[in-house]
Amino acid sequence: MKQKVTWGNWTKRSFGAMGVLGLTGALPLTALAQTTPSVEEMWRIIQKQQEEIRELKSELDEAETKIEETDVKVTATADTVEQVISVESAQGRDTVIGGYGELHYNNLDNDLAGGDDKDMIDLHRFVIFLNHSFTDDVRFFSELEVEHSLAGDGKPGEVEVEQAYLEWDFAESHRAKAGLFLVPVGILNETHEPDTFFGVERNNVESKIIPSTWWEGGLGTSGELAPGWGYDLAFHSGLYMKDGKVGNVRSARQKVAEAKADDYATTGRIRYTGLPGLEVGLTLQLQNDVLQGENIQGVSSIEGLLLETHVAYQNGPFLLRALYAQWDFDDEIEELTPGADKQKGWYVEPGYRISPQWGVFARYSLWDTEAGGNGDSEYNETNVGVNYWLTENAVLKADYQVQDAPSGASEFDGFNLGVGWSF
Amino acid sequence: MKGIWWVLIAVLCSLTAESHGQRGTFMTADEFRELAFPDSEPESGTLWLNAQQQERAAMILRHAYPGLRVRYWRLGQRSAWILEEVGKDQPITMGIVVEKDHIADFAVLAFRESRGGEIRYPFFTDQFRGLTLSDRGDPPALSGSVNGITGATLSVRAASKVAKLALFFHRQVMAGGTSGAD
């Protein structure tokens, strides 16, 4: 049987070489006959090589298929792993635990003759947040706080529920809340984690005039009116000034603990955050009756209006906070506490972030809880200090304060140290 | 005097007839790709993160990157990334366009937190344009400062982390990292 032979390069090269060898006569013909394969042998070699090539190609195709299959398997495994991670993290996000805390050391001399100095170390606040999302639109927020470490009869501290409310997104840009929530006023009242502000202790204007931390029970709505413009409106429980403490706003917080609810209060706030680093806020609050229907020495009702406005600005490393707050109570309050019909305070606080870790600040604050009278009742305080952030949420603080108090009142000068965290 | 408050409510209600959502989806992935590569057809690719890249990503995020790979689009020296990071409780979906070594565009695609939605507005996102990844610092920092929004600190931090992460991933792809076209 005659077969058609296809000569490959090897064969051509071989015959070429043979021709050259024959022409040169370099090898005897007998030797050439012994080393050169016959045509039949050549054909067998070629057939064998072609078979090997076929096998190699088959193996290569098989390897490529396996690589493709492995690629599909790896991708499928990655899909599954990432899906599991995603599901687990999504499940974890339904219920979130957080918290913050701060320990303070005060070393303050009292300039009042005979007055006690303040040398104290105190776990001022230890707070746990517990939040839960029921659905994409309905959430629960809570904040449980232990103040001054030890609570109970005769102990210095308190256990307080400072937030416990439901929030519902009732429209695309609006949410409503019901329960116990922080009053939308000032800079610190709603955002007071220690790593977010300068100074060991919170400033006195937001403690004594506003008075932070301030929470009430009721209903509220918040949202956005236009890019950068936000609003809050809340109807909630009111202050209650007891006999002997009329005019003292801070002690009038009922903390929603079997609170008298003969009369309520309304708070409205407008906020502008339309420029990077800038917040401007304006809050008005009406207290319908801070006596909550009681008659004290012939005074049966006192209405109060709180006005608060502030600016917080950051431009690169430069920081600035400034706030003004004032109360106007009905003149009848004068019959119980002279000068208490007007209470006011303000502060200005420039700061500078030297680096992500270091920041320095200075603050001048002034407050007067009997500004309606003619007497000497005004306090002022100057603070300078430094924050060192170990990480974004853990901070060490130090500041020095010089206070100027009315005659006959305690006047504290000295330094404070603090450590704070949040997560 | 109480009547003032009811008037205020009425004014607010009328003002909110045309509202702007804090939460929601503001841009789809396809819309973001079109924003990143207008009238062009980029290649899609996957960056598989090796151990070293995972470690660097974790340093930037301050927690492990929740995945084994990152998908992206690329056309020449320009790449686009869709990344997520949790602000306070919920993930924020952000899109970052990187060209050569700097951020060319930044957009918030979806925001799910109840506070801090202002980070989606151009007055905030435009701050990222032109920023590069500084080699100084560990973890690496952005080359310029980003001014925050009061009350939205955690959302701002999440945006800054994602910006750094996109710049880092872009570097890996341009350096011929463990990647491949889809």
Side-chain angles (χ1 to χ4, degrees):
Chain A
M1 188 173 70
K2 191 175 179 182
Q3 288 185 325
K4 187 180 178 183
V5 176
T6 303
W7 302 108
N9 290 335
W10 184 90
T11 313
K12 287 175 184 171
R13 279 200 301 272
S14 302
F15 277 100
M18 285 166 60
V20 171
L21 290 171
L23 285 172
T24 55
L27 289 172
L29 283 173
T30 49
L32 190 63
Q34 285 171 357
T35 54
T36 304
S38 65
V39 173
E40 288 74 16
E41 285 171 334
M42 292 287 294
W43 176 242
R44 280 197 297 274
I45 290 168
I46 290 164
Q47 289 288 78
K48 192 178 176 187
Q49 285 179 336
Q50 281 186 328
E51 182 61 30
E52 285 173 355
I53 288 169
R54 267 196 297 274
E55 283 174 9
L56 285 171
K57 279 182 76 178
S58 171
E59 284 173 12
L60 186 63
D61 289 344
E62 203 176 320
E64 280 179 354
T65 305
K66 281 183 179 171
I67 288 169
E68 282 173 10
E69 284 174 359
T70 305
D71 199 30
V72 169
K73 285 176 186 171
V74 168
T75 304
T77 305
D79 284 343
T80 306
V81 169
E82 288 174 351
Q83 198 175 5
V84 168
I85 292 170
S86 174
V87 168
E88 283 180 350
S89 54
Q91 284 173 341
R93 282 196 293 270
D94 284 347
T95 303
V96 178
I97 296 174
Y100 74 89
E102 50 191 331
L103 177 84
H104 297 164
Y105 170 67
N106 309 113
N107 188 316
L108 304 173
D109 295 330
N110 193 339
D111 291 347
L112 176 69
D116 291 333
D117 292 343
K118 193 174 179 183
D119 296 314
M120 179 189 294
I121 186 163
D122 181 32
L123 183 64
H124 200 144
R125 298 178 180 89
F126 183 84
V127 178
I128 296 293
F129 299 121
L130 182 63
N131 305 332
H132 181 75
S133 294
F134 297 102
T135 66
D136 285 349
D137 298 333
V138 181
R139 295 170 291 279
F140 167 73
F141 292 92
S142 72
E143 179 179 342
L144 182 66
E145 176 165 334
V146 178
E147 279 199 343
H148 307 299
S149 189
L150 200 58
D153 284 345
K155 307 298 182 192
E158 291 178 312
V159 177
E160 298 169 333
V161 178
E162 293 196 351
Q163 297 187 72
Y165 67 91
L166 290 175
E167 186 176 75
W168 169 46
D169 298 337
F170 67 90
E172 188 185 351
S173 60
H174 306 282
R175 53 190 188 273
K177 57 187 169 188
L180 186 160
F181 50 80
L182 297 171
V183 177
V185 60
I187 297 174
L188 292 183
N189 200 52
E190 290 177 295
T191 306
H192 44 240
E193 288 83 347
D195 50 293
T196 63
F197 64 90
F198 282 117
V200 175
E201 302 286 352
R202 296 176 186 174
N203 71 80
N204 282 303
V205 178
E206 292 194 77
S207 293
K208 298 190 187 311
I209 304 295
I210 283 184
S212 294
T213 308
W214 187 7
W215 61 94
E216 299 287 359
L219 300 167
T221 179
S222 304
E224 202 169 322
L225 305 169
W229 288 94
Y231 78 92
D232 300 87
L233 186 63
F235 300 90
H236 52 78
S237 49
L239 298 172
Y240 173 40
M241 295 181 178
K242 295 176 185 170
D243 194 4
K245 289 201 169 182
V246 173
N248 188 327
V249 172
R250 188 164 181 81
S251 70
R253 295 173 304 165
Q254 301 191 76
K255 302 188 176 183
V256 201
E258 297 185 344
K260 287 177 72 66
D262 296 72
D263 261 304
Y264 61 89
T266 310
T267 303
R269 176 175 68 180
I270 295 288
R271 242 169 34 111
Y272 177 71
T273 53
L275 291 172
L278 176 69
E279 178 189 277
V280 180
L282 172 69
T283 291
L284 284 171
Q285 184 188 88
L286 178 67
Q287 292 279 338
N288 288 344
D289 180 13
V290 294
L291 299 185
Q292 293 294 333
E294 290 195 357
N295 188 309
I296 302 176
Q297 299 172 38
V299 179
S300 58
S301 173
I302 297 173
E303 192 177 81
L305 181 68
L306 170 66
L307 163 71
E308 181 275 333
T309 185
H310 67 261
V311 59
Y313 184 60
Q314 177 206 348
N315 189 346
F318 297 99
L319 305 149
L320 179 69
R321 287 183 171 190
L323 180 144
Y324 175 82
Q326 73 165 47
W327 280 101
D328 277 302
F329 291 104
D330 284 346
D331 292 343
E332 285 78 2
I333 201 171
E334 291 285 285
E335 297 171 25
L336 304 171
T337 306
D341 64 321
K342 187 150 191 165
Q343 308 187 23
K344 64 180 181 182
W346 61 269
Y347 72 85
V348 59
E349 180 192 286
Y352 186 80
R353 287 295 287 260
I354 300 166
S355 70
Q357 284 76 41
W358 289 97
V360 293
F361 81 102
R363 184 196 305 131
Y364 179 79
S365 51
L366 182 150
W367 68 98
D368 187 346
T369 57
E370 294 176 4
N374 297 320
D376 175 19
S377 54
E378 186 179 280
Y379 289 78
N380 67 63
E381 184 176 305
T382 303
N383 303 72
V384 291
V386 59
N387 279 17
Y388 177 74
W389 282 271
L390 296 162
T391 71
E392 289 170 338
N393 302 104
V395 66
L396 303 176
K397 299 180 175 185
D399 66 62
Y400 184 78
Q401 71 174 59
V402 177
Q403 209 173 72
D404 184 15
S407 57
S410 289
E411 185 177 277
F412 292 106
D413 298 340
F415 68 89
N416 306 288
L417 302 174
V419 55
W421 60 87
S422 72
F423 56 91
Chain B
M1 185 136 186
K2 291 172 190 172
I4 290 172
W5 296 101
W6 295 111
V7 172
L8 183 59
I9 293 166
V11 170
L12 286 173
C13 289
S14 62
L15 282 172
T16 54
E18 286 188 18
S19 58
H20 304 261
Q22 276 269 331
R23 305 170 75 237
T25 300
F26 311 109
M27 192 184 290
T28 64
D30 286 341
E31 287 168 344
F32 171 66
R33 188 187 58 186
E34 181 58 29
L35 176 83
F37 304 97
D39 303 322
S40 306
E41 201 55 48
E43 285 181 5
S44 59
T46 303
L47 174 65
W48 288 85
L49 299 174
N50 60 32
Q52 196 179 5
Q53 290 165 336
Q54 286 275 11
E55 192 179 328
R56 295 294 287 174
M59 285 179 73
I60 290 169
L61 292 174
R62 296 179 184 275
H63 62 78
Y65 179 79
L68 308 173
R69 69 218 152 138
V70 197
R71 293 196 172 90
Y72 60 90
W73 291 287
R74 177 186 176 180
L75 192 61
Q77 295 290 301
R78 192 175 173 92
S79 67
W81 308 79
I82 294 178
L83 302 170
E84 285 192 341
E85 174 63 355
V86 173
K88 186 175 173 62
D89 297 337
Q90 301 297 324
I92 307 165
T93 308
M94 291 165 270
I96 307 97
V97 184
V98 185
E99 182 147 29
K100 293 178 181 171
D101 64 341
H102 66 272
I103 292 176
D105 216 336
F106 189 108
V108 174
L109 276 62
F111 190 84
R112 303 171 184 87
E113 305 273 11
S114 57
R115 275 191 191 182
E118 294 94 336
I119 70 160
R120 74 184 184 278
Y121 290 123
F123 71 73
F124 176 76
T125 57
D126 285 353
Q127 296 183 93
F128 289 99
R129 284 188 179 163
L131 295 185
T132 61
L133 198 60
S134 170
D135 288 323
R136 290 178 301 170
D138 207 5
L142 292 171
S143 57
S145 65
V146 174
N147 292 328
I149 295 171
T150 307
T153 308
L154 297 177
S155 298
V156 171
R157 279 182 193 164
S160 297
K161 285 178 184 174
V162 157
K164 285 184 270 188
L165 198 61
L167 285 165
F168 170 68
F169 287 158
H170 175 86
R171 271 190 189 178
Q172 305 308 302
V173 169
M174 293 302 151
T178 317
S179 63
D182 282 346

